[in-house]
Amino acid sequence: QKDQLAEQATRLTQLDDLRMRMIVNLHHELRTPVALVLGPLDALLEQQSLDGEGRRHAELARRSADELEKLVGQLFDLTRLEAGELPVRARRVDLGALARRVVSRHAYAAEQRGIVLEEPERSLSLWCDPELIDKAIRNLVGNALKFSPSGGRVIVVLEQDEDHAVLRVLDEGPGVPEADRRRIFERLFQVDRSDRRAHGGAGLGLALSREVVELHGGCIGVDGRKGAGAAFWVRLPLDDTPHNIV
């Protein structure tokens, strides 16, 4: 029986290695064609003569290509995080300033849909990998904008709770059913509601955010809001040293 268990363990390791290689190859194989699509689309959209239905079609294709590029990157990052192969470069960072930069990058998209996007005013210093935490916050803000109605409001708040920083992203969308609030951070999980499925998405962004936050010794979750909407939150330790990052 020990030999059988050892054989099964070896087989699982081989399958996991194969999965990792397949995703790495997929990432590299898709990057080039996506880049080749984006280049001509950008050139086309720069043409002043393009208007009306042609411009709308080109803009739709550009957004779709952006989404594909983002999904490929998320899948690659998530797989490397799970395998412990994504390097962590921790340094002392102002979490408030980092969150404000994320909000500023989403300002145009919010303005296009008439959504008021509010940035956090507070500053809190902690040890983290700014690129990874940027990805986590970016997914939460992008998710909030995606599900918020036109004319709605998305608020990003930073607070201190004893020895932890708590970042909250509040939206006015359909919210997350209580039964799904734990599973929504699982890879590929989709809330089974038509008003959320209509927005698309592969269920990778929130899973990536969870992996990043937990890598930093923190936790992530979502609560309901009184009235309507969701309140996603990230809780990170305010340690003086980066020992909490595994």
Side-chain angles (χ1 to χ4, degrees), residues 34-35 37-46 55-70:
V34 169
V37 169
L38 289 173
L41 281 173
D42 286 340
L44 184 63
L45 288 168
E46 289 175 0
R55 178 165 292 276
R56 286 194 297 273
H57 287 168
E59 289 173 345
L60 175 60
R62 183 64 167 85
R63 288 195 298 273
S64 298
D66 280 340
E67 186 68 20
L68 177 59
E69 184 179 46
K70 183 177 74 172

Side-chain angles (χ1 to χ4, degrees), residues 128-211:
C128 72
D129 182 319
E131 290 190 13
L132 292 180
I133 293 297
D134 181 285
K135 291 177 188 289
I137 299 174
R138 194 190 325 156
N139 286 330
L140 296 182
V141 174
N143 197 63
L145 288 174
K146 181 165 64 174
F147 289 105
S148 289
S150 297
R153 184 182 297 269
V154 172
I155 307 171
V156 183
V157 180
L158 180 61
E159 303 166 333
Q160 182 172 352
D161 181 12
E162 296 182 349
D163 57 352
H164 284 77
V166 181
L167 184 86
R168 305 183 193 277
V169 180
L170 316 175
D171 66 54
E172 297 178 348
V176 181
E178 189 170 356
D180 294 328
R181 289 177 190 170
R182 285 185 178 271
R183 295 199 62 201
I184 199 169
F185 296 98
E186 295 176 6
R187 183 197 291 212
L188 304 180
F189 179 77
Q190 297 283 331
V191 173
D192 189 19
R193 277 174 44 171
S194 60
D195 54 352
R196 293 185 70 90
R197 287 198 304 270
H199 293 278
L204 292 175
L206 292 179
L208 176 61
S209 293
R210 184 188 66 178
E211 291 288 338

Side-chain angles (χ1 to χ4, degrees):
Q1 188 174 2
K2 289 184 179 180
D3 291 341
Q4 186 178 6
L5 289 174
E7 184 179 344
Q8 289 176 346
T10 300
R11 179 61 177 160
L12 287 173
T13 300
Q14 291 173 342
L15 288 173
D16 198 53
D17 290 342
L18 177 61
R19 178 179 68 93
M20 182 63 182
R21 289 198 302 272
M22 287 178 62
I23 292 175
V24 170
N25 290 337
L26 178 66
H27 177 255
H28 288 299
E29 290 296 326
L30 285 177
R31 283 173 60 188
T32 298
V34 169
L36 291 175
V37 169
L38 289 173
L41 281 173
D42 286 340
L44 184 63
L45 288 168
E46 289 175 0
Q47 295 180 12
Q48 299 298 323
S49 59
L50 183 67
D51 56 11
E53 188 174 357
R55 178 165 292 276
R56 286 194 297 273
H57 287 168
E59 289 173 345
L60 175 60
R62 183 64 167 85
R63 288 195 298 273
S64 298
D66 280 340
E67 186 68 20
L68 177 59
E69 184 179 46
K70 183 177 74 172
L71 288 175
V72 171
Q74 287 178 339
L75 178 61
F76 185 57
D77 287 343
L78 183 57
T79 302
R80 294 178 70 199
L81 273 170
E82 291 177 341
E85 296 182 1
L86 192 64
V88 179
R89 300 179 177 88
R91 59 184 175 88
R92 184 160 287 283
V93 172
D94 181 343
L95 184 61
L98 191 155
R100 286 189 286 273
R101 288 194 295 272
V102 172
V103 168
S104 69
R105 295 201 299 271
H106 287 82
Y108 179 75
E111 182 181 352
Q112 290 294 102
R113 296 187 50 216
I115 296 174
V116 176
L117 179 56
E118 298 185 15
E119 66 181 22
E121 298 179 356
R122 186 163 187 172
S123 293
L124 287 173
S125 177
L126 49 70
W127 281 91
C128 72
D129 182 319
E131 290 190 13
L132 292 180
I133 293 297
D134 181 285
K135 291 177 188 289
I137 299 174
R138 194 190 325 156
N139 286 330
L140 296 182
V141 174
N143 197 63
L145 288 174
K146 181 165 64 174
F147 289 105
S148 289
S150 297
R153 184 182 297 269
V154 172
I155 307 171
V156 183
V157 180
L158 180 61
E159 303 166 333
Q160 182 172 352
D161 181 12
E162 296 182 349
D163 57 352
H164 284 77
V166 181
L167 184 86
R168 305 183 193 277
V169 180
L170 316 175
D171 66 54
E172 297 178 348
V176 181
E178 189 170 356
D180 294 328
R181 289 177 190 170
R182 285 185 178 271
R183 295 199 62 201
I184 199 169
F185 296 98
E186 295 176 6
R187 183 197 291 212
L188 304 180
F189 179 77
Q190 297 283 331
V191 173
D192 189 19
R193 277 174 44 171
S194 60
D195 54 352
R196 293 185 70 90
R197 287 198 304 270
H199 293 278
L204 292 175
L206 292 179
L208 176 61
S209 293
R210 184 188 66 178
E211 291 288 338
V212 166
V213 171
E214 291 181 351
L215 182 70
H216 287 76
C219 55
I220 187 171
V222 59
D223 299 319
R225 295 187 67 193
K226 190 175 181 180
F232 282 84
W233 52 266
V234 169
R235 186 178 173 89
L236 294 167
L238 291 170
D239 289 358
D240 292 330
T241 57
H243 67 82
N244 57 290
I245 301 176
V246 295

